[in-house]
Amino acid sequence: MGRTAIVTGAARGLGKAIALALRDAGHRVAANYLVDEAEARQFQQEHGIPVFRWDVSDAAACREGAARVEAELGPVEILVNNAGITADAMCHKMSEEQWWSVIHTNLGSMFAMTRPVVEGMRSRGFGRIVNISSINARKGQVGQCNYAAAKAGILGFTKALALENAARNVTVNAIAPGYCDTPMVAAMRPDVLEAITAGIPAGRLGTSTDIARTVVFLTDDAAGFITGATIDVNGGQYLA
Protein backbone atom coordinates (compact mmCIF):
# COMPACT_ATOMS: atom_id res chain seq x y z
CA MET A 1 0.00 0.00 0.00
CA GLY A 2 1.49 3.33 -1.05
CA ARG A 3 1.95 5.95 1.66
CA THR A 4 3.06 9.56 1.68
CA ALA A 5 6.71 10.02 2.59
CA ILE A 6 8.89 13.07 3.18
CA VAL A 7 12.63 12.74 2.63
CA THR A 8 14.68 15.75 3.69
CA GLY A 9 17.82 16.72 1.82
CA ALA A 10 16.58 14.62 -1.08
CA ALA A 11 17.89 16.30 -4.21
CA ARG A 12 21.31 14.63 -4.09
CA GLY A 13 23.45 11.97 -2.41
CA LEU A 14 21.84 9.66 0.13
CA GLY A 15 18.56 11.57 0.12
CA LYS A 16 18.15 11.21 -3.62
CA ALA A 17 18.71 7.46 -3.46
CA ILE A 18 16.28 7.14 -0.55
CA ALA A 19 13.59 9.13 -2.35
CA LEU A 20 13.94 6.98 -5.47
CA ALA A 21 13.88 3.74 -3.49
CA LEU A 22 10.73 4.74 -1.61
CA ARG A 23 9.07 5.74 -4.88
CA ASP A 24 10.01 2.38 -6.37
CA ALA A 25 8.47 0.70 -3.32
CA GLY A 26 5.16 2.32 -4.27
CA HIS A 27 5.07 5.38 -2.03
CA ARG A 28 4.21 9.00 -2.84
CA VAL A 29 7.43 10.86 -2.09
CA ALA A 30 8.01 14.52 -1.33
CA ALA A 31 11.65 15.49 -1.80
CA ASN A 32 12.74 18.36 0.41
CA TYR A 33 15.73 20.53 -0.55
CA LEU A 34 17.14 23.93 0.32
CA VAL A 35 20.19 25.07 -1.64
CA ASP A 36 20.35 24.11 -5.30
CA GLU A 37 17.14 25.07 -7.12
CA ALA A 38 18.38 23.94 -10.56
CA GLU A 39 19.49 20.56 -9.24
CA ALA A 40 16.17 20.03 -7.47
CA ARG A 41 14.11 20.93 -10.54
CA GLN A 42 16.21 18.60 -12.69
CA PHE A 43 15.62 15.82 -10.17
CA GLN A 44 11.87 16.43 -10.32
CA GLN A 45 11.86 16.50 -14.11
CA GLU A 46 13.93 13.33 -14.47
CA HIS A 47 12.22 11.23 -11.83
CA GLY A 48 8.70 12.63 -11.44
CA ILE A 49 9.09 13.17 -7.70
CA PRO A 50 7.77 16.55 -6.52
CA VAL A 51 10.27 18.79 -4.75
CA PHE A 52 9.55 21.19 -1.90
CA ARG A 53 11.93 23.87 -0.70
CA TRP A 54 12.32 24.73 2.97
CA ASP A 55 15.03 25.02 5.62
CA VAL A 56 14.86 22.06 8.01
CA SER A 57 16.60 24.07 10.75
CA ASP A 58 13.63 26.48 10.80
CA ALA A 59 10.69 25.08 12.78
CA ALA A 60 8.13 27.41 11.22
CA ALA A 61 9.34 26.51 7.72
CA CYS A 62 9.03 22.82 8.59
CA ARG A 63 5.44 23.26 9.75
CA GLU A 64 4.57 25.09 6.56
CA GLY A 65 6.43 22.59 4.38
CA ALA A 66 4.77 19.56 5.98
CA ALA A 67 1.37 21.21 5.57
CA ARG A 68 2.04 21.81 1.85
CA VAL A 69 3.05 18.18 1.37
CA GLU A 70 -0.06 16.90 3.15
CA ALA A 71 -2.29 19.20 1.10
CA GLU A 72 -0.79 17.94 -2.17
CA LEU A 73 0.06 14.29 -1.44
CA GLY A 74 -1.91 13.25 1.63
CA PRO A 75 -1.17 12.60 5.31
CA VAL A 76 2.51 11.98 5.99
CA GLU A 77 3.07 8.45 7.28
CA ILE A 78 6.79 8.10 6.51
CA LEU A 79 9.44 10.64 7.49
CA VAL A 80 13.11 10.25 6.66
CA ASN A 81 15.22 12.87 8.42
CA ASN A 82 18.25 12.85 6.15
CA ALA A 83 19.29 16.49 5.62
CA GLY A 84 22.66 17.40 7.05
CA ILE A 85 25.68 19.64 6.61
CA THR A 86 29.31 19.76 7.69
CA ALA A 87 31.42 22.69 8.86
CA ASP A 88 34.63 21.02 9.92
CA ALA A 89 37.31 22.53 12.13
CA MET A 90 39.34 21.54 15.15
CA CYS A 91 37.36 22.52 18.25
CA HIS A 92 39.96 25.06 19.41
CA LYS A 93 39.58 26.82 16.04
CA MET A 94 35.85 26.29 15.46
CA SER A 95 33.66 29.38 15.25
CA GLU A 96 30.31 29.68 16.98
CA GLU A 97 28.68 29.88 13.55
CA GLN A 98 30.28 26.59 12.52
CA TRP A 99 29.08 24.94 15.72
CA TRP A 100 25.50 26.18 15.71
CA SER A 101 24.85 25.83 11.98
CA VAL A 102 25.60 22.10 12.19
CA ILE A 103 23.73 21.59 15.47
CA HIS A 104 20.62 23.40 14.21
CA THR A 105 20.56 21.70 10.80
CA ASN A 106 21.60 18.16 11.77
CA LEU A 107 20.02 17.85 15.22
CA GLY A 108 17.49 20.65 15.58
CA SER A 109 15.81 19.47 12.39
CA MET A 110 14.91 16.19 14.10
CA PHE A 111 12.41 18.00 16.29
CA ALA A 112 11.47 20.65 13.72
CA MET A 113 10.50 18.03 11.14
CA THR A 114 9.02 15.40 13.44
CA ARG A 115 6.77 17.66 15.49
CA PRO A 116 4.43 18.63 12.60
CA VAL A 117 3.76 15.04 11.51
CA VAL A 118 3.99 12.77 14.54
CA GLU A 119 0.60 13.70 16.02
CA GLY A 120 -1.12 12.65 12.79
CA MET A 121 0.83 9.39 12.76
CA ARG A 122 -0.28 8.68 16.32
CA SER A 123 -3.92 9.47 15.62
CA ARG A 124 -3.98 7.22 12.53
CA GLY A 125 -2.15 4.38 14.29
CA PHE A 126 0.71 4.15 11.81
CA GLY A 127 4.02 5.88 11.26
CA ARG A 128 7.59 5.20 10.22
CA ILE A 129 10.34 7.65 11.14
CA VAL A 130 13.93 6.98 10.08
CA ASN A 131 16.70 9.32 11.22
CA ILE A 132 20.02 9.31 9.37
CA SER A 133 22.92 9.50 11.81
CA SER A 134 26.56 8.62 11.05
CA ILE A 135 29.42 6.28 11.87
CA ASN A 136 31.04 9.34 13.44
CA ALA A 137 28.27 9.45 16.03
CA ARG A 138 29.58 6.08 17.17
CA LYS A 139 33.33 6.63 17.07
CA GLY A 140 33.91 10.39 16.85
CA GLN A 141 36.08 12.09 14.24
CA VAL A 142 38.88 14.64 14.40
CA GLY A 143 37.68 18.05 13.25
CA GLN A 144 34.00 17.15 13.65
CA CYS A 145 33.02 17.90 17.24
CA ASN A 146 29.93 19.70 15.94
CA TYR A 147 28.96 16.98 13.45
CA ALA A 148 29.66 14.05 15.79
CA ALA A 149 27.75 15.72 18.63
CA ALA A 150 24.73 16.37 16.41
CA LYS A 151 24.72 12.88 14.92
CA ALA A 152 25.12 11.29 18.37
CA GLY A 153 22.22 13.40 19.63
CA ILE A 154 20.08 11.86 16.91
CA LEU A 155 20.54 8.44 18.54
CA GLY A 156 19.19 9.64 21.88
CA PHE A 157 16.32 11.44 20.18
CA THR A 158 15.49 8.25 18.27
CA LYS A 159 15.33 6.09 21.40
CA ALA A 160 13.18 8.52 23.38
CA LEU A 161 10.78 9.13 20.51
CA ALA A 162 10.51 5.38 19.89
CA LEU A 163 9.46 4.78 23.49
CA GLU A 164 6.87 7.56 23.33
CA ASN A 165 5.20 6.19 20.21
CA ALA A 166 5.61 2.41 20.24
CA ALA A 167 2.09 1.78 21.54
CA ARG A 168 0.65 3.79 18.62
CA ASN A 169 2.35 1.67 15.92
CA VAL A 170 4.74 4.51 15.12
CA THR A 171 8.28 3.18 14.85
CA VAL A 172 11.38 5.35 15.12
CA ASN A 173 14.77 4.05 14.06
CA ALA A 174 18.16 5.42 13.09
CA ILE A 175 20.68 4.41 10.46
CA ALA A 176 24.37 5.13 11.02
CA PRO A 177 26.00 5.03 7.57
CA GLY A 178 29.70 4.60 7.13
CA TYR A 179 31.57 6.38 4.39
CA CYS A 180 29.56 6.22 1.17
CA ASP A 181 30.05 7.40 -2.39
CA THR A 182 28.24 10.70 -1.88
CA PRO A 183 29.24 14.21 -3.00
CA MET A 184 30.20 15.02 0.61
CA VAL A 185 32.70 12.15 0.71
CA ALA A 186 33.89 12.77 -2.85
CA ALA A 187 34.97 16.26 -1.79
CA MET A 188 37.66 14.78 0.50
CA ARG A 189 41.32 14.87 -0.51
CA PRO A 190 42.24 11.72 -2.49
CA ASP A 191 44.86 10.61 0.06
CA VAL A 192 42.37 10.94 2.94
CA LEU A 193 39.73 9.01 1.01
CA GLU A 194 42.23 6.28 0.16
CA ALA A 195 43.17 5.90 3.83
CA ILE A 196 39.50 5.70 4.85
CA THR A 197 38.75 3.04 2.24
CA ALA A 198 41.77 1.00 3.36
CA GLY A 199 40.28 0.88 6.86
CA ILE A 200 36.94 -0.60 5.76
CA PRO A 201 36.97 -4.42 6.10
CA ALA A 202 34.50 -4.76 3.21
CA GLY A 203 37.18 -3.17 1.01
CA ARG A 204 35.00 -0.45 -0.49
CA LEU A 205 32.97 2.63 0.23
CA GLY A 206 29.28 2.13 0.81
CA THR A 207 26.79 3.13 -1.86
CA SER A 208 23.75 5.32 -1.56
CA THR A 209 21.72 2.25 -2.51
CA ASP A 210 23.06 0.37 0.54
CA ILE A 211 21.47 3.01 2.76
CA ALA A 212 18.30 3.39 0.70
CA ARG A 213 17.54 -0.33 0.89
CA THR A 214 17.82 -0.16 4.67
CA VAL A 215 15.36 2.75 4.77
CA VAL A 216 12.87 0.85 2.63
CA PHE A 217 13.11 -2.12 4.99
CA LEU A 218 12.56 -0.01 8.12
CA THR A 219 9.59 1.83 6.60
CA ASP A 220 7.79 -1.30 5.48
CA ASP A 221 4.56 -2.28 7.21
CA ALA A 222 6.21 -5.59 8.16
CA ALA A 223 8.94 -3.83 10.19
CA GLY A 224 6.55 -2.84 12.95
CA PHE A 225 8.39 -4.68 15.73
CA ILE A 226 11.66 -2.82 15.13
CA THR A 227 11.82 0.47 16.99
CA GLY A 228 14.45 2.45 18.86
CA ALA A 229 17.19 0.66 16.94
CA THR A 230 20.30 2.01 15.27
CA ILE A 231 21.31 0.05 12.18
CA ASP A 232 25.03 0.35 11.37
CA VAL A 233 25.71 0.20 7.62
CA ASN A 234 29.46 0.65 7.44
CA GLY A 235 31.13 -2.40 5.91
CA GLY A 236 32.54 -3.44 9.28
CA GLN A 237 34.54 -0.25 9.78
CA TYR A 238 33.13 0.27 13.26
CA LEU A 239 31.32 -2.35 15.33
CA ALA A 240 29.21 -0.89 18.13
Side-chain angles (χ1 to χ4, degrees), residues 203-229:
R204 65 172 177 87
L205 294 174
T207 69
S208 299
T209 303
D210 291 327
I211 310 306
R213 289 193 188 111
T214 309
V215 172
V216 171
F217 165 67
L218 289 173
T219 55
D220 192 86
D221 288 22
F225 204 56
I226 303 171
T227 196

Side-chain angles (χ1 to χ4, degrees), residues 57-86:
S57 70
D58 182 330
C62 290
R63 289 194 298 272
E64 293 168 5
R68 291 205 317 271
V69 170
E70 294 203 328
E72 293 188 28
L73 302 181
V76 175
E77 295 179 300
I78 296 171
L79 171 64
V80 183
N81 284 313
N82 166 74
I85 62 170
T86 58

Side-chain angles (χ1 to χ4, degrees), residues 11 33-44 51-53:
Y33 74 100
L34 177 62
V35 177
D36 195 325
E37 179 78 23
E39 186 176 48
R41 294 301 168 189
Q42 182 178 356
F43 171 76
Q44 178 173 272
V51 295
F52 296 81
R53 185 180 187 273

Side-chain angles (χ1 to χ4, degrees), residues 126-128 165-173 217-228:
F126 182 91
R128 297 286 185 265
N165 292 284
R168 299 298 183 98
N169 193 31
V170 177
T171 67
V172 189
N173 293 290
F217 165 67
L218 289 173
T219 55
D220 192 86
D221 288 22
F225 204 56
I226 303 171
T227 196

